[in-house]
Amino acid sequence: DTAVSQTPKYLVTQMGNDKSIKCEQNLGHDTMYWYKQDSKKFLKIMFSYNNKELIINETVPNRFSPKSPDKAHLNLHINSLELGDSAVYFCASSPYFGTNQPQHFGDGTRLSIL
Amino acid sequence: TQLLEQSPQFLSIQEGENLTVYCNSSSVFSSLQWYRQEPGEGPVLLVTVVTGGEVKKLKRLTFQFGDARKDSSLHITAAQPGDTGLYLCAGGYGNKLVFGAGTILRVKS
């Protein structure tokens, strides 16, 4: 069974559209994250939730809205997509909140804006 | 300017050679992690170090955290083609992990 699964794996859409990415973890972890990896492979934190509560919101445009219906799920909705949003988005989870916790990543969602 | 500078950016070596990847900063980190990422997949954790001067070994990989907790290195002995991938260091800074830009390693057989 996949520990951290995100869907879809690929997302190709037009500028201005709204899209969502879903993430689920079956590890029983308390903390979940969204990261953005750009074309140069630089990975940067966007959001972190601990037990459904928003802990980190890293100066991300408010077109990006995360939602955690329960601690096993963290979804990302993006409004009015822009060319600069093209990237690979990774969901991750860790047992607890803390920078020494092992983070388990999904396989990413490659978002391409036309 | 990135908080964590990784070097080299790209490394292409022959099977059997040794190599070292460096992760440097002027800032102090509470912990340091190393991840390996293969194409089309997410990063996979290799190690976490939390104490200044700490050394951890994972088979042919040796990880070291600097005494002042500002830098780290990853040394691979007798590299194999299966070691090919993107190596990322990540430091605990405040309440988040800050990643380096990565080192792309290619091991040729």
Side-chain angles (χ1 to χ4, degrees):
Chain A
D1 278 348
T2 305
V4 180
S5 59
Q6 47 183 116
T7 55
K9 190 168 177 69
Y10 298 97
L11 192 48
V12 181
T13 190
Q14 302 249 343
M15 209 164 46
N17 284 350
D18 304 337
K19 289 293 177 186
S20 291
I21 308 172
K22 294 187 175 182
C23 179
E24 176 182 4
Q25 55 97 2
N26 64 5
L27 297 167
H29 288 172
D30 281 354
T31 310
M32 295 186 74
Y33 312 81
W34 278 112
Y35 284 88
K36 179 181 180 181
Q37 188 172 47
D38 63 23
S39 57
K40 295 183 179 179
K41 304 297 184 187
F42 184 57
L43 198 61
K44 189 174 179 189
I45 182 78
M46 298 173 69
F47 302 102
S48 175
Y49 273 73
N50 189 56
N51 272 318
K52 302 191 298 176
E53 269 193 59
L54 180 65
I55 300 294
I56 296 174
N57 182 342
E58 195 64 14
T59 58
V60 177
N62 57 16
R63 297 183 296 104
F64 291 79
S65 51
K67 279 200 180 138
S68 183
D70 55 63
K71 75 175 193 177
H73 296 84
L74 180 60
N75 304 322
L76 183 65
H77 187 76
I78 316 170
N79 289 326
S80 304
L81 281 156
E82 300 177 357
L83 288 175
D85 297 333
S86 293
V88 182
Y89 292 84
F90 285 99
C91 176
S93 71
S94 64
Y96 305 106
F97 182 72
T99 57
N100 62 346
Q101 292 289 300
Q103 296 201 8
H104 298 251
F105 285 80
D107 283 341
T109 295
R110 184 174 294 276
L111 174 62
S112 298
I113 310 300
L114 304 177
Chain B
T1 306
Q2 293 175 20
L3 201 57
L4 268 172
E5 298 286 342
Q6 267 189 256
S7 61
Q9 286 183 300
F10 182 77
L11 196 51
S12 181
I13 60 172
Q14 288 294 134
E15 183 177 1
E17 291 183 10
N18 301 334
L19 68 116
T20 303
V21 176
Y22 299 94
C23 184
N24 294 301
S25 178
S26 57
S27 300
V28 177
F29 296 95
S30 56
S31 61
L32 203 293
Q33 297 182 337
W34 284 91
Y35 290 81
R36 180 165 157 259
Q37 184 179 10
E38 297 196 42
E41 298 181 9
V44 176
L45 180 67
L46 297 173
V47 78
T48 301
V49 284
V50 295
T51 306
E54 185 175 359
V55 176
K56 279 192 175 179
K57 291 194 174 184
L58 185 66
K59 297 183 181 177
R60 294 175 294 100
L61 278 60
T62 302
F63 305 86
Q64 184 161 9
F65 200 11
D67 290 342
R69 290 186 287 130
K70 293 182 179 181
D71 53 83
S72 180
S73 63
L74 157 60
H75 182 80
I76 301 179
T77 304
Q80 298 177 1
D83 295 327
T84 293
L86 173 69
Y87 289 82
L88 297 161
C89 65
Y93 191 73
N95 64 354
K96 64 188 181 206
L97 270 185
V98 174
F99 282 80
T103 294
I104 297 173
L105 172 63
R106 182 183 169 205
V107 182
K108 295 175 281 188
S109 55

